[in-house]
Amino acid sequence: MDTARAVTEEFDVVARPTRTATWNLVRDGSTVASAYAVCRPDRRWFVSVDGWLEQDHEPLVNAMIDDLAHDLYTRIDGSDPEGLQVWSRFGFEPHRREVEFLFSPDPARTGLVAPPIPAGLVLLSVEDVDEGALRTLDDELRRDLPGSDGWINDPTEFHDLTFDEALYDPATYLVAVDDEHRRFAGLVRIWANQERSRLGLVAVTRTYRRLGLARALLGAALGPLHARGIEHVMAEADGTDTASLGLLRSIGAEQSGSSLVLRRRRG
C-alpha cells in the first residue's frame, strides 16, 4: 500500500476550479429565461440556455459572447437539427460528436470472464491509493482524450467529485499499478447505482497500452455491478476515438444515441 501511495510524484501546476456564471432575461419584472456557463478544468467554457421561446435565446447568447470573450462550447442531441440551426445563427459550428452506448455488465455477454491482468501489474481500489497521485493520473489520462486536453484538476474540486456519496463506489473505481517501477498504468471509474450506472472513464497510460489492460480493468469493475443485479451501464466515446469505440463494441455495447459538441471561436 505504501508503494501505491508513492507511485506518482506531484509537480507544481496552476489549477483552475470550475467557474460558473448565470444570465437572466427579465421581462416585465420577471425572469423568463436564463443562460448558464461552466468553465471546466480544461479551460473550456460550456454554455446553455434554458428558455421556452426561441427569440429569448438571442439576447442571452449575445450576453455570454460579450462577457466571456473565450471560445464557447455547447452540447446538443446528435439528432437535433433544430438545435443545430439555432446555435449556428450565433456562429457555433460542429466540433466533436460523441457516441452514446448501453451495455450489460453480465460477463456472459461482455466476454470479460476473468480477463487476465498483464504481468507485473496489480489492481487496487482508489481507497488504497494516494489521492494526490490519483488526481495527477487523472490529469495525465485526460490529455489523450479527444476534447479534454489541457485538463488540470483542482484538488478540492477533484476530491468532492471523486468521493461524492451519491456516485462513489470503491469497488468500481480501480487503479492498475506497476509496483516494481512504482508507477500507475491505468484506471477505470464507474459511477454506480440502480437507477443509472455510467462508465466515466477507462484509460491506460501510453507505456502500458496494447496489453489487454483496459479489458482487465473493465472486467474487474463490472463484476460487482453484475453481482448486484444491475442490468445496464451507460458509456460515451468520441466519434474519432477508435480504441474506445472498439473496446465498447467488443463487449457488446450498442449505440443508444449521440451528442454533438458545437464550438464558437472567440471573435
Side-chain angles (χ1 to χ4, degrees):
M1 301 303 178
D2 292 337
T3 299
R5 295 184 181 279
V7 165
T8 303
E9 296 182 4
E10 287 205 72
F11 302 93
D12 290 341
V13 296
V14 177
R16 183 183 197 176
T18 294
R19 297 184 179 184
T20 62
T22 302
W23 294 259
N24 293 324
L25 179 61
V26 179
R27 182 178 297 132
D28 297 330
S30 300
T31 297
V32 296
S34 298
Y36 307 95
V38 177
C39 183
R40 305 189 320 185
D42 58 3
R43 277 64 170 172
R44 289 175 171 85
W45 282 95
F46 273 75
V47 301
S48 62
V49 174
D50 182 11
W52 290 101
L53 302 178
E54 187 174 318
Q55 63 262 32
D56 292 343
H57 283 229
E58 183 171 355
L60 289 168
V61 175
N62 286 335
M64 291 190 289
I65 291 171
D66 291 341
D67 290 348
L68 294 177
H70 287 274
D71 284 5
L72 300 181
Y73 300 80
T74 193
R75 187 186 304 273
I76 64 173
D77 188 281
S79 57
D80 182 10
E82 294 181 357
L84 177 59
Q85 184 178 25
V86 168
W87 286 99
S88 295
R89 296 208 315 265
F90 305 104
F92 285 79
E93 299 177 339
H95 177 57
R96 292 193 308 109
R97 182 176 293 274
E98 291 190 348
V99 184
E100 299 165 359
F101 291 94
L102 201 62
F103 63 94
S104 166
D106 185 348
R109 300 183 65 178
T110 63
L112 300 175
V113 181
I117 301 170
L121 303 181
V122 295
L123 303 188
L124 300 177
S125 167
V126 291
E127 289 190 323
D128 300 320
V129 176
D130 176 74
E131 184 178 327
L134 178 66
R135 186 179 70 252
T136 302
L137 173 64
D138 189 86
D139 290 341
E140 177 184 352
L141 293 173
R142 287 179 184 269
R143 293 185 198 126
D144 290 338
L145 295 178
S148 64
D149 52 288
W151 192 286
I152 300 176
N153 284 295
D154 173 76
T156 301
E157 187 176 73
F158 179 78
H159 174 86
D160 291 343
L161 291 174
T162 298
F163 301 104
D164 184 313
E165 292 183 0
L167 300 173
Y168 171 66
D169 187 337
T172 62
Y173 196 157
L174 308 174
V175 177
V177 177
D178 183 335
D179 208 32
E180 179 181 355
H181 296 94
R182 298 172 63 82
R183 61 191 179 196
F184 288 133
L187 70 76
V188 61
R189 176 170 59 232
I190 299 180
W191 306 125
N193 58 56
Q194 290 290 345
E195 289 77 27
R196 186 183 183 190
S197 294
R198 175 177 173 270
L199 173 60
L201 178 64
V202 56
V204 175
T205 61
R206 296 180 181 182
T207 303
Y208 298 92
R209 291 174 186 168
R210 302 184 183 280
L211 299 176
L213 178 56
R215 292 180 63 84
L217 283 162
L218 195 53
L222 290 175
L225 300 187
H226 177 59
R228 296 172 198 166
I230 292 176
E231 296 182 353
H232 298 101
V233 180
M234 301 172 59
E236 304 91 23
D238 184 271
T240 64
D241 189 347
T242 55
S244 295
L245 292 171
L247 174 62
L248 289 169
R249 287 168 176 153
S250 74
I251 63 171
E254 297 183 355
Q255 183 172 342
S256 57
S258 67
S259 61
L260 189 63
V261 176
L262 309 178
R263 177 176 66 182
R264 182 192 187 277
R265 292 186 179 275
R266 176 181 178 181

